[in-house]
Amino acid sequence: MTTRAEPGDDRDDPGLGAIMGERRRLFNLGYRLLGSLADAEDVVQETYARWYALSEREQRAIESPGAWMMTVAGRICLNLLGSARARRETYVGDWIPEPLPEPSEWITGRPGVGVTDPADRITLDESVTMAFLVVLDSMTPAERVAFVLHDVFRYPFGEVAEIVGRTPAACRQLASSARRRIRTARTPAGPSAGQAAVVKRFRAAWEAKDIEALIGLLDPDATATADGGGLAVTHVRPLVGGERIARAYAEIARVAGDRTTFVECTVNGLPGLVAYQYGTVATVFAFEIAGDRIRRIWAVRNPEKLRPWRAGGPGRTDGSADSESAAGRETGR
């Protein structure tokens, strides 16, 4: 087995830099397919483990190591998607994809650092918005893999077929079916600045417990879904209807009182909100906005999905697990 090279050893292995440079693309693929930062990182690690398990002769025989790694990562994701469906059957409440912090924070680990690598910019496009990921999650594993590899990463169907284990024609049909789902669910998105203004007004109305203002900002058929995973108190079933959501959220604000503060931020590339309690991130809100109305709200409260937001984020304190637990009991009915 070939061992992992130490920093600086790429002087003897000119291909090492290229191999390690694939990490970001592998991570982007894993997140889109699995909707989880932790699972995406596991996919990256497993892919590299398989690469370094090859002998030097086997590695040199691979014409395109990057393509080889994407193929391996795609197959790992396909397997994980199959097992994830079984795990979801025992999940408490609705499962929502893990929300992404501002890209410069989760890619570099340092808030406020500019990101210029083209591989990073794809995290800001439509394929990483919460609405898009939720639709992806409704697809079969094969549909999801075929669509993401072909439509997002531009892999030809011949190569997609090798990963999915079906014919190119079958993969073309899978991607076509996925595309129809995306078109059916897609909401025409306005400019980001316009969406940010809606979120700002929503925040102000919510903090003021102004039910009428909230109703005016919500589509009459709006839906609010929450994900506590059984680890944080929240409404287990989606709330449907603008008025019902407005009244429920006004009650949440009343119960939370002054212990909760809201911060406008980027969530999966679009304007969102973060609720802080006791200096710790308690909930991350993503929105789907059409015109000047909110059509969908996704509230992620599962603390396991909020770890990237709590690690070094603004407002973080060294509060104990007990204080975090208390925060969880007081928001998101």
Side-chain angles (χ1 to χ4, degrees):
M1 174 176 173
T2 303
T3 57
R4 185 180 296 272
E6 295 297 324
D9 284 357
D10 54 334
R11 289 173 298 182
D12 300 322
D13 181 1
L16 180 60
I19 289 296
M20 298 311 294
E22 291 295 323
R23 184 187 186 285
R24 196 163 286 142
R25 201 158 68 109
L26 296 172
F27 187 88
N28 280 318
L29 174 68
Y31 175 71
R32 281 169 176 77
L33 289 177
L34 303 173
S36 164
L37 292 169
D39 288 347
E41 185 61 41
D42 287 344
V43 168
V44 173
Q45 296 301 324
E46 176 62 20
T47 301
Y48 276 105
R50 294 189 187 186
W51 170 260
Y52 284 108
L54 300 175
S55 68
E56 184 176 345
R57 176 179 296 180
E58 289 172 324
Q59 289 178 357
R60 293 187 182 280
I62 295 173
E63 184 176 348
S64 174
W68 182 92
M69 298 182 91
M70 285 289 281
T71 297
V72 170
R75 288 172 179 165
I76 294 171
C77 288
L78 186 61
N79 291 335
L80 289 175
L81 283 169
S83 61
R85 287 191 162 233
R87 293 197 306 271
R88 301 276 177 80
E89 293 178 2
T90 60
Y91 194 82
V92 179
D94 285 276
W95 187 93
I96 297 175
E98 186 175 337
L100 281 178
E102 181 69 27
S104 62
E105 296 184 17
W106 69 267
I107 290 173
T108 67
R110 300 187 302 277
V113 176
V115 178
T116 57
D117 191 305
D120 295 334
R121 287 201 295 270
I122 63 173
T123 64
L124 299 175
D125 66 16
E126 183 186 14
S127 70
V128 82
T129 64
M130 188 63 75
F132 193 96
L133 292 174
V134 168
V135 177
L136 284 182
D137 193 58
S138 70
M139 300 177 185
T140 67
E143 272 183 326
R144 190 166 181 169
V145 173
F147 173 77
V148 169
L149 282 171
H150 180 266
D151 283 48
V152 177
F153 287 88
R154 305 303 180 190
Y155 267 59
F157 284 118
E159 295 181 24
V160 174
E162 294 181 13
I163 297 173
V164 179
R166 305 196 186 188
T167 65
C171 290
R172 186 175 289 105
Q173 291 180 340
L174 287 170
S176 178
S177 172
R179 219 171 284 125
R180 285 195 296 272
R181 293 190 190 219
I182 294 291
R183 282 197 298 267
T184 300
R186 178 178 282 138
T187 296
S192 182
Q195 295 185 54
V198 173
V199 171
K200 184 182 290 291
R201 291 198 296 273
F202 181 83
R203 171 192 173 184
W206 192 4
E207 290 178 327
K209 307 175 191 62
D210 187 336
I211 294 177
E212 292 304 316
L214 287 171
I215 292 174
L217 289 166
L218 291 160
D219 185 279
D221 297 320
T223 302
T225 306
D227 179 347
L231 302 175
V233 176
T234 189
H235 51 91
V236 177
R237 294 183 178 83
L239 302 174
V240 180
E243 183 172 348
R244 184 184 178 195
I245 295 170
R247 295 188 182 282
Y249 271 50
E251 176 64 12
I252 290 171
R254 186 192 68 78
V255 172
D258 295 335
R259 292 180 296 274
T260 302
T261 57
F262 295 96
V263 175
E264 296 158 33
C265 65
T266 298
V267 179
N268 288 71
L270 292 175
L273 286 176
V274 173
Y276 286 88
Q277 287 195 328
Y278 301 99
T280 300
V281 174
T283 314
V284 173
F285 299 90
F287 300 90
E288 181 180 63
I289 299 171
D292 58 356
R293 294 287 186 97
I294 296 171
R295 293 190 58 180
R296 295 287 302 271
I297 301 174
W298 293 279
V300 179
R301 291 185 44 73
N302 185 336
E304 294 182 353
K305 296 183 178 182
L306 298 180
R307 287 175 183 169
W309 295 81
R310 293 176 172 179
R316 178 182 173 138
T317 68
D318 293 326
S320 66
D322 289 342
S323 68
E324 289 188 19
S325 177
R329 290 193 296 272
E330 293 169 356
T331 57
R333 290 174 178 266

